[in-house]
Amino acid sequence: MIIGILTDWFRRSNKSERLWLLAKIEFKLRYYENKLGLFWALIKPIMDIAIYYVVFQTIMKQNVPAFASYLFIGLILWNFFVESTTGTVQILNTKKYLYEYSNMNKLEIYVSTLLSNTIGFFFNFIMFLLFYNLLEKDTTYSTIHTLWILPLFINLYILSLATSLILSNIYVIAKDITQIWTVFTSFLFFLSPIFYKLDTFKAALPSFDYINPLAGIIINARKATMEGTYPDFKLFVFDFAYAIALLMFGTFLLNKLGSKAAEKL
């Protein structure tokens, strides 16, 4: 069943063009009526950085080197995951016209929506690199290890896609999942090493970086971009396996529940 969904998608023609077109439309619509346009994708993490910097560095004295950049990379990874998952919970309802009145595979709708978020992510990531290398004091410059952000982002993308599939298909039979997910992400935010010193996080929650795949992605992203070292490969493989397993479960739900979405929503 799972292989059937993926095979059907790969056999269709003009996939890349259609996905990219949908992603661009989705991205433009998000900022269409805002005068600052694309810069709103950057303003949100900057505002978050300012708030958490004051709380955790100035008041609580975390004493993390290059703490603004430490926050920056953690927040843009976190925001991609949250925006991708919360924004797709009702996707089978809000974009019903795409799979009912066209030959689009449902999976394409998810992929294109996450691609639109990808544009914003890499815009923010470029801003992070500029900030870290040009404005952050007493740091080493980025190295070739920074390229590890690409496989790490692929891991994050698969995890976000898998979670989106699971949530949106549960929404077909239980609309309360929207409120539950909002509460859960708030809880998970404080159980991720976004603003905590890594040693403090690991001491308080030993092995939690293996339970929470987002924690592992954030930790490895900082190793690659700020420390100029290789990621923790054991953690990297574990997080990828986690994402693939969830993706398989998500496509299973899409086959079982997604096929009846048009009738139930």
Side-chain angles (χ1 to χ4, degrees), residues 66-99:
F67 189 61
S69 296
Y70 187 87
L71 279 172
F72 203 154
I73 187 65
L75 285 169
I76 62 175
L77 290 164
W78 171 262
N79 286 341
F80 176 85
F81 176 76
V82 173
E83 289 172 7
S84 297
T85 53
T86 56
T88 52
V89 174
Q90 300 182 39
I91 198 170
L92 291 174
N93 184 27
T94 57
K95 297 190 176 180
K96 185 162 55 174
Y97 61 93
L98 285 175
Y99 62 82

Side-chain angles (χ1 to χ4, degrees), residues 16 66 93 116 194:
S16 300
N93 184 27
S116 71
I194 296 171

Side-chain angles (χ1 to χ4, degrees), residues 183-221:
V183 173
F184 181 76
T185 51
S186 298
F187 178 66
L188 190 64
F189 179 72
F190 290 98
L191 293 180
S192 299
I194 296 171
F195 37 74
Y196 305 120
K197 195 172 183 178
L198 186 56
D199 292 341
T200 304
F201 176 79
K202 286 190 172 183
L205 298 168
S207 301
F208 197 75
D209 47 343
Y210 286 91
I211 299 172
N212 174 7
L214 277 172
I217 293 170
I218 291 170
I219 290 169
N220 277 333

Side-chain angles (χ1 to χ4, degrees), residues 16-250:
S16 300
E17 295 88 345
R18 185 164 60 241
L19 287 174
W20 182 240
L21 177 61
L22 284 171
K24 286 195 295 183
I25 292 171
E26 181 86 17
F27 185 77
K28 288 177 180 177
L29 285 174
R30 188 178 307 163
Y31 302 106
Y32 179 73
E33 294 183 352
N34 297 320
K35 292 188 180 295
L36 293 178
L38 177 62
F39 282 97
W40 277 112
L42 178 63
I43 290 171
K44 185 183 185 302
I46 286 179
M47 292 175 68
D48 290 341
I49 289 167
I51 294 167
Y52 295 123
Y53 188 93
V54 171
V55 173
F56 288 93
Q57 187 76 340
T58 305
I59 299 175
M60 298 182 68
K61 305 293 184 183
Q62 287 277 55
N63 294 321
V64 176
F67 189 61
S69 296
Y70 187 87
L71 279 172
F72 203 154
I73 187 65
L75 285 169
I76 62 175
L77 290 164
W78 171 262
N79 286 341
F80 176 85
F81 176 76
V82 173
E83 289 172 7
S84 297
T85 53
T86 56
T88 52
V89 174
Q90 300 182 39
I91 198 170
L92 291 174
N93 184 27
T94 57
K95 297 190 176 180
K96 185 162 55 174
Y97 61 93
L98 285 175
Y99 62 82
E100 274 198 310
Y101 305 111
S102 70
N103 66 340
M104 283 191 68
N105 184 298
K106 290 187 181 72
L107 192 60
E108 289 180 320
I109 301 172
Y110 291 90
V111 172
S112 63
T113 300
L114 266 67
L115 277 177
S116 71
N117 292 339
T118 300
I119 298 171
F121 172 83
F122 279 102
F123 173 75
N124 280 329
F125 184 69
I126 291 170
M127 293 300 104
F128 159 76
L129 289 178
L130 291 173
F131 180 85
Y132 180 71
N133 288 283
L134 300 178
L135 299 178
E136 196 73 83
K137 296 179 180 179
D138 302 323
T139 59
T140 56
Y141 291 112
S142 296
T143 67
I144 193 68
H145 293 93
T146 300
L147 292 176
W148 275 99
I149 196 65
L150 297 175
L152 288 168
F153 178 75
I154 291 170
N155 187 178
L156 177 64
Y157 187 96
I158 295 171
L159 179 66
S160 302
L161 176 60
T163 308
S164 296
L165 286 167
I166 294 169
L167 293 173
S168 60
N169 282 282
I170 291 176
Y171 180 82
V172 173
I173 56 174
K175 294 180 174 56
D176 293 345
I177 193 64
T178 304
Q179 286 73 28
I180 293 171
W181 184 243
T182 300
V183 173
F184 181 76
T185 51
S186 298
F187 178 66
L188 190 64
F189 179 72
F190 290 98
L191 293 180
S192 299
I194 296 171
F195 37 74
Y196 305 120
K197 195 172 183 178
L198 186 56
D199 292 341
T200 304
F201 176 79
K202 286 190 172 183
L205 298 168
S207 301
F208 197 75
D209 47 343
Y210 286 91
I211 299 172
N212 174 7
L214 277 172
I217 293 170
I218 291 170
I219 290 169
N220 277 333
R222 286 182 178 138
K223 283 180 175 292
T225 60
M226 296 182 65
E227 298 175 19
T229 61
Y230 289 103
D232 180 331
F233 287 109
K234 182 180 178 183
L235 192 57
F236 178 72
V237 170
F238 190 91
D239 289 339
F240 239 109
Y242 204 128
I244 295 298
L246 287 176
L247 181 61
M248 292 178 67
F249 180 59

